Amino acid sequence: MVEKIPSPFVVEKIFASIQPLIQRYPAIHRSAGLGGWALQSTSRSYQDGWLKSDYCPYIGPKNQGPHWIPKDEMEAKLRPIQQFILPTEFSNPELMHVLAVLDQWGLNPRRARIIKLMPGTTDQWHQDGVDRYYQARVHLPLFTNSDCAFETADGKFHMAADNSLYFIHINRPHRVYNLGTTPRYHIVAHIWDQMEFTQHHRYDPKLNLGAS
C-alpha cells in the first residue's frame, strides 16, 4: 500500500535549488537507468550508499535498539541504516530543511538520497530488506511525469510532484518504471514512524523478531 500525506514543502523550489549540484556532481548509477546522489552517508560522500546490496534495517529511533540479529554470514556484513546520517556535499539548505522537518515529525530519516529514474526504465521486481523486520521509506517527488509509477501486488500508483509525501513498505515485492520522456527525481529516505505520523506505516514491534 502507498500512503499519501500532504506536506508543507514546495518541490519546485527544492528542485530548482539542486540544479547547480546536479551539474557539479555526476550521478552514481546502479544501472543505466537508475542512479542519484546521497544526502546522508557514512562518510559524508554523496557516492556512499549505492552498493548493489541490501542494508539491515534502521534499528531504532535516536540510534537505540532493537538490535539487528543477522541470521547468516551475508547478513552479518550488512551496514545498519542508522550509520547513514552524515550530510554529504549534495545536502544544500533546502534538502537539509526537508530532513530536519521529517526528523521533527518523529520519522527519523536515514540514508536519504535523490534518486533519478531515466526515461524508458523499468526496474525489476524486487524486495528491499528482510520481511521479518519493519522497513519503510518516504518519497518526496521533485519532478516526474504521468507515465511513472510504483507497482506492488496491490496495483500501480503514480506519485505526483504535488508537494505530497508518499510512504511505502519496501520489504514487499515492488518495482518502479518511467515510461515517459523525462527523468523522474525523488527524495527518498528510510523512516521509522514511532510517533504515528502515518496511518499504515507505523512501527510495529512485532516486526522486529530477530532471526526467528
Side-chain angles (χ1 to χ4, degrees):
M1 173 182 291
V2 179
E3 182 174 358
K4 179 178 180 178
I5 297 178
S7 86
F9 306 124
V10 181
V11 296
E12 292 86 354
K13 181 179 179 182
I14 298 170
F15 190 56
S17 79
I18 67 172
Q19 295 308 306
L21 298 172
I22 290 175
Q23 298 299 318
R24 181 176 181 181
Y25 299 108
I28 303 301
H29 284 273
R30 290 186 59 172
S31 66
L34 180 67
W37 305 264
L39 308 181
Q40 295 172 308
S41 77
T42 64
S43 63
R44 298 190 182 276
S45 169
Y46 81 92
Q47 301 181 37
D48 188 21
W50 290 93
L51 297 177
K52 291 185 177 181
S53 62
D54 288 333
Y55 296 77
C56 73
Y58 174 37
I59 57 176
K62 307 305 179 186
N63 298 335
Q64 305 297 312
H67 298 291
W68 166 248
I69 304 175
K71 69 177 183 180
D72 53 35
E73 183 177 350
M74 182 190 72
E75 285 193 356
K77 295 179 180 179
L78 302 181
R79 291 185 289 174
I81 288 297
Q82 73 264 31
Q83 293 181 1
F84 293 84
I85 190 174
L86 299 176
T88 73
E89 60 268 67
F90 207 90
S91 297
N92 68 9
E94 291 285 345
L95 297 171
M96 292 296 290
H97 174 69
V98 171
L99 297 181
V101 172
L102 295 179
D103 198 52
Q104 290 170 8
W105 290 339
L107 294 173
N108 303 284
R110 297 293 185 272
R111 196 180 168 232
R113 296 170 292 163
I114 291 179
I115 295 182
K116 178 181 180 181
L117 188 67
M118 296 298 292
T121 298
T122 299
D123 200 8
Q124 295 181 348
W125 283 98
H126 66 284
Q127 177 175 315
D128 297 297
V130 294
D131 55 11
R132 70 183 190 277
Y133 280 87
Y134 169 88
Q135 302 226 41
R137 282 185 190 155
V138 61
H139 283 241
L140 177 62
L142 300 180
F143 185 86
T144 187
N145 64 71
S146 59
D147 292 315
C148 295
F150 182 88
E151 187 174 7
T152 71
D154 298 323
K156 303 173 184 178
F157 189 92
H158 173 64
M159 300 184 189
D162 59 1
N163 304 322
S164 296
L165 298 170
Y166 299 84
F167 295 84
I168 59 174
H169 291 292
I170 59 170
N171 54 352
R172 301 171 187 175
H174 62 273
R175 69 173 180 171
V176 295
Y177 60 80
N178 179 0
L179 302 182
T181 59
T182 56
R184 187 205 78 168
Y185 294 83
H186 282 199
I187 298 176
V188 178
H190 289 254
I191 60 98
W192 180 279
D193 180 15
Q194 280 197 314
M195 302 299 292
E196 299 187 351
F197 181 84
T198 65
Q199 181 67 33
H200 303 289
H201 295 80
R202 298 172 181 175
Y203 167 63
D204 182 354
K206 296 191 298 293
L207 293 181
N208 279 290
L209 302 177
S212 60

